[in-house]
Amino acid sequence: MNWTLYEVCRTLSVPVGYRSAKKEILRALRNGNYQHESRGDIDVKNLLALGKVSAIEVATLIASSDGSMHTESPHHVVKGITVHVIKVKNWYIKFYFVDPDAWFISVHK
């Protein structure tokens, strides 16, 4: 059987995707390397884009999360992009990475 490192880690329940995503999204928020995906209901679904929540507040929420609060799935349009969702303290934070930036889809309660 030829398993990839990703498959081995998933079988062992090691949250490789979460740890990497958390580290990178915190770095992006700290350095201002993030953008927001356009969507019709951005006024409700992305409070970071509207300035109703700060990057520091979002980073604090993400920093307090753990791997059990994280899921990932393919982007609905570009299947090769992994979309990360962190549900922490009644917040829903959805993002992905396209080098060199992180892209937020949703940041809301």
Side-chain angles (χ1 to χ4, degrees):
M1 181 178 296
N2 291 328
W3 285 14
T4 65
L5 176 60
Y6 181 80
E7 291 167 329
V8 170
C9 290
R10 280 291 178 210
T11 301
L12 298 174
S13 297
V14 176
V16 171
Y18 167 72
R19 289 181 184 173
S20 177
K22 182 178 179 179
K23 178 180 174 183
E24 292 304 316
I25 197 66
L26 291 175
R27 182 182 317 187
L29 286 164
R30 182 176 54 247
N31 296 332
N33 296 335
Y34 59 90
Q35 300 187 43
H36 305 283
E37 186 173 284
S38 296
R39 58 184 303 170
D41 52 357
I42 196 167
D43 59 326
V44 176
K45 299 289 185 175
N46 194 336
L47 301 180
L48 178 61
L50 297 175
K52 292 186 177 180
V53 62
S54 72
I56 293 171
E57 290 170 308
V58 175
T60 301
L61 287 166
I62 292 170
S64 71
S65 70
D66 63 40
S68 70
M69 301 169 184
H70 171 260
T71 59
E72 58 186 44
S73 62
H75 189 274
H76 67 286
V77 175
V78 183
K79 302 297 182 200
I81 295 175
T82 300
V83 175
H84 301 272
V85 174
I86 296 177
K87 296 177 184 175
V88 57
K89 298 181 180 175
N90 295 320
W91 282 85
Y92 182 88
I93 303 167
K94 188 174 186 180
F95 57 93
Y96 58 88
F97 301 97
V98 175
D99 197 31
D101 294 326
W103 288 76
F104 284 94
I105 300 170
S106 298
V107 178
H108 62 88
K109 284 191 171 185

